[in-house]
Amino acid sequence: WGNGIKIFDHNSFKLLYSGLTDHPVIKTDRVYSIVKDKHGIFWLGTVNGGVFSLNLKTGKESLKHFEVFSTLVSEPGSKADVRQIVIGSESNTLFILKQDYGLVKAITDGNGTIIETKDEVIDIELMEVLNFSFLKCVHIDKKNNFYIGTDNGILYRESGENTFKNILPNENILAQSII
């Protein structure tokens, strides 16, 4: 904590950016996810501070903050623990995975602003029956199917469907979708 944000080129490992060492949220929080969209905007997911966009295209650091709230009924209005951000297949779309059973679809304007959000439905009863305590990671495959890793298994939603289901170890759906 407290060392700001550093961004490296993934081929040369050249330092592209170093900053935000004095930002009040960044210096005291953990960043779990960083992605770069097709417009060159970096999106950062934090444990307590929500989501940030970092625009370095103008040559001047431009940081915007967006709060993300918990979907747990027991903790209404509390800030969510953002575990991962992935780029959606639709134009200007992000999916924000919250540890507390939440997946948020966010529409951006291409300049680092979230203009609309929608909670994706994950059946909390399914999560409780399967004894999943937290969501850990998300993947969208080339067919636009969703996979969500949890403490005790994987949830799967086929492209075009509205509900997630559990992938049991003997099912071959995971192998079929990745190929």
Side-chain angles (χ1 to χ4, degrees), residues 1 25-26 28-33 45-49 81-83:
W1 294 284
V25 174
I26 299 293
T28 60
D29 206 346
R30 290 170 282 175
V31 176
Y32 275 174
S33 182
T46 67
V47 173
N48 296 305
D81 181 343
V82 175
R83 285 297 160 143

Side-chain angles (χ1 to χ4, degrees), residues 90 95 103 105 118-124 126 144-146 148 155-165:
E90 298 172 28
F95 286 93
L103 181 65
K105 180 179 182 178
K118 176 185 177 241
D119 283 318
E120 296 287 310
V121 177
I122 298 177
D123 186 348
I124 291 181
L126 171 67
N144 215 28
N145 300 315
F146 277 80
I148 296 179
L155 296 177
Y156 168 76
R157 184 178 79 186
E158 192 170 330
S159 179
E161 296 293 320
N162 291 325
T163 57
F164 285 86
K165 63 182 179 179

